[in-house]
Amino acid sequence: MLELTNLSNADCDVEKVLENDAGTIPAIVREHGLDGIEFMICGPWDRVMHPPQYIKGVHLLFWPCWLDFWRGNRAVLLSEFGSEENIRAYYGSLDVGDWVEAWKRNLRQAARCHPHYVVFHVAHNRTSEMYTREFSASDEDVIRATAELVNQITSELPQGCRLLFENLWWRGLTFRQPHLAAMLLEQVDYPDTGFMLDTGHLMNTNFDLRNEADGAAYVQKIYRELGALGQYVYGVHLHQSISGSYTREMMRLHAGEHRPLTWGEAMDYVMHVDLHQPFRTDAALRILDAVQPEYLVHEFQHRSRGDLEDKLRVQRGALNFL
C-alpha cells in the first residue's frame, strides 16, 4: 500500500504549506513515513518544488457545475452565471471543444508526472441547488455524461496509468447505487479504471451521522453493498466529515430558495459541509481493514505546514502507524 498525502501547486499551498522551500516535501515524507503525494496541478509544474519522484498520483482539475455547459443549455447557464462573460471566465471559453481541450492539457500535465493513477471527480451541481439539495439532474444523468466526456480525453493517458473515479455527495457517483458505479466502468472506454473512495464525501451523503464511529460504520456498510464491485476500489481518500446537522439547517433556512450563489457563498458552504478532518479513533482502521486499498491518501484541508503535519500525526496515530 502506498501511503500519501494531498498537495497542489496552487499559490496557497506553495506559500503556506511548502513555505516556498523545495525541501519541504522530502522532509514531510521522511518525517511521517509516507511514500509521496497525490498532486493537483493548478499551474506550471516546478519540478524542484514538487519533485517527480514523490508524485504517485495526480488529482485532475474539476468544474463542479458542468452538465449544462456540456449539453449546450444556454438559458440555464445564463441564469446560473448571469452573463456570457462569467460563463467564459468559469470554463475558459464559450466553446465546449475548448473546454475538452483544457481537460486534455491537464491530462498531458499529469502524464509528465508518470503517476500510478489519476483521479476524476464524478459530480455536478448548480450553485442554485446547493442549499436546498433539490437537484435538476439525476445520478444517472451525470454518470452517462461523465462517460461521454471521459471517452473524449483518455487518449492523453499514458499506458499503465489507472483512471480512478471519485465519489462526491452531489449528483453523480455516490456509491449508494452500485449499479450506477458499475455502469460508469462499463461505459468508459479505457482498460484500467476503478474508484477512489472518499470517506468524508461518503459521510456527507448521510445527515444522521453523529460521530466518526457512525461514519466509519456507514462507509463499511456502503462498501459491503458494492459487492464484487468493491474489488475496483483501488484507493481511499481518508478523512472524516460529520456535518449533517449543518446541512439540514441550511436546507431549512433556504427552503424554496433557488438563487445562484456567489463564489464566496458557495465556497463557504462547501467548507462547512466537506470538513476534511482527520480520524482520531480506530474507526479509521476499520475502514482500511474492510477496503484494503492499494493507495491510502491522507486528504485534508490544511492552512499551513504545521496544520498538515498535526493532522497527519493525529490520523496516522488513529491507524496505529506511529
Side-chain angles (χ1 to χ4, degrees):
M1 182 180 74
L2 290 179
E3 187 183 356
L4 315 173
T5 193
N6 61 305
L7 280 169
S8 78
N9 64 350
D11 290 345
C12 55
D13 271 3
V14 173
E15 293 169 7
K16 295 179 180 179
V17 179
L18 301 187
E19 300 170 340
N20 294 301
D21 181 352
T24 299
I25 288 178
I28 290 174
V29 167
R30 183 173 59 251
E31 172 68 22
H32 299 280
L34 304 179
D35 296 296
I37 65 170
E38 183 180 286
F39 186 37
M40 179 176 280
I41 307 169
C42 303
W45 175 28
D46 181 345
R47 291 169 178 255
V48 175
M49 191 63 68
H50 295 84
Q53 64 267 32
Y54 294 103
I55 299 172
K56 307 302 181 182
V58 172
H59 197 308
L60 299 176
L61 298 176
F62 59 96
W63 287 259
C65 177
W66 64 277
L67 189 59
D68 298 306
F69 187 64
W70 180 250
R71 289 173 166 172
N73 196 334
R74 186 173 181 275
V76 170
L77 289 170
L78 285 172
S79 175
E80 184 73 16
F81 289 94
S83 69
E84 286 193 347
E85 181 181 356
N86 290 339
I87 297 169
R88 184 183 291 108
Y90 187 75
Y91 298 104
S93 174
L94 296 177
D95 189 295
V96 171
D98 293 338
W99 181 67
V100 171
E101 182 57 34
W103 277 105
K104 291 181 177 180
R105 283 196 302 273
N106 193 215
L107 278 172
R108 289 193 289 269
Q109 291 173 318
R112 287 195 288 271
C113 299
H114 300 289
H116 292 239
Y117 66 87
V118 299
V119 179
F120 189 107
H121 272 181
V122 183
H124 160 79
N125 69 285
R126 299 172 183 167
T127 66
S128 55
E129 301 168 348
M130 292 172 72
Y131 288 159
T132 64
R133 301 289 182 102
E134 295 172 356
F135 299 113
S136 54
S138 68
D139 291 333
E140 184 171 346
D141 291 336
V142 177
I143 284 175
R144 289 189 182 278
T146 296
E148 294 168 5
L149 169 60
V150 168
N151 285 337
Q152 291 196 22
I153 64 178
T154 51
S155 59
E156 304 296 339
L157 276 169
Q159 189 173 9
C161 180
R162 277 180 172 152
L163 174 59
L164 303 185
F165 295 111
E166 179 178 350
N167 59 298
L168 279 92
W169 66 94
W170 309 117
R171 286 292 188 253
L173 178 66
T174 67
F175 288 130
R176 295 196 298 175
Q177 299 185 77
H179 71 284
L180 294 181
M183 185 180 77
L184 177 60
L185 297 191
E186 291 165 2
Q187 292 190 355
V188 168
D189 185 22
Y190 186 74
D192 197 356
T193 56
F195 301 111
M196 177 65 74
L197 170 60
D198 189 295
T199 58
H201 292 173
L202 187 51
M203 292 180 198
N204 291 340
T205 67
N206 186 336
F207 305 158
D208 295 324
L209 303 178
R210 299 162 298 171
N211 50 52
E212 62 183 61
D214 285 352
Y218 178 63
V219 171
Q220 291 171 271
K221 172 180 178 293
I222 297 298
Y223 177 75
R224 286 195 302 270
E225 291 173 355
L226 289 176
L229 203 60
Q231 68 185 302
Y232 296 103
V233 177
Y234 294 115
V236 169
H237 281 172
L238 189 66
H239 58 100
Q240 54 107 345
S241 182
I242 307 297
S243 58
S245 60
Y246 172 82
T247 301
R248 274 207 176 100
E249 179 62 8
M250 294 299 281
M251 292 171 70
R252 186 188 67 81
L253 289 174
H254 297 279
E257 182 180 310
H258 301 289
R259 67 175 179 86
L261 306 186
T262 66
W263 177 253
E265 288 173 324
M267 285 304 299
D268 181 70
Y269 178 80
V270 169
M271 295 290 281
H272 279 85
V273 172
D274 194 22
L275 300 178
H276 281 263
Q277 291 297 308
F279 276 92
R280 298 178 178 275
T281 73
D282 63 1
L285 192 55
R286 294 196 289 275
I287 293 174
L288 285 200
D289 286 344
V291 179
Q292 298 186 19
E294 294 184 28
Y295 317 113
L296 167 62
V297 185
H298 301 281
E299 191 182 56
F300 307 126
Q301 294 174 2
H302 30 62
R303 298 182 298 274
S304 66
R305 175 176 175 176
D307 184 40
L308 169 60
E309 295 203 71
D310 286 345
K311 288 172 177 173
L312 283 169
R313 290 187 190 96
V314 168
Q315 185 154 279
R316 297 191 79 245
L319 293 167
N320 296 321
F321 286 178
L322 296 182

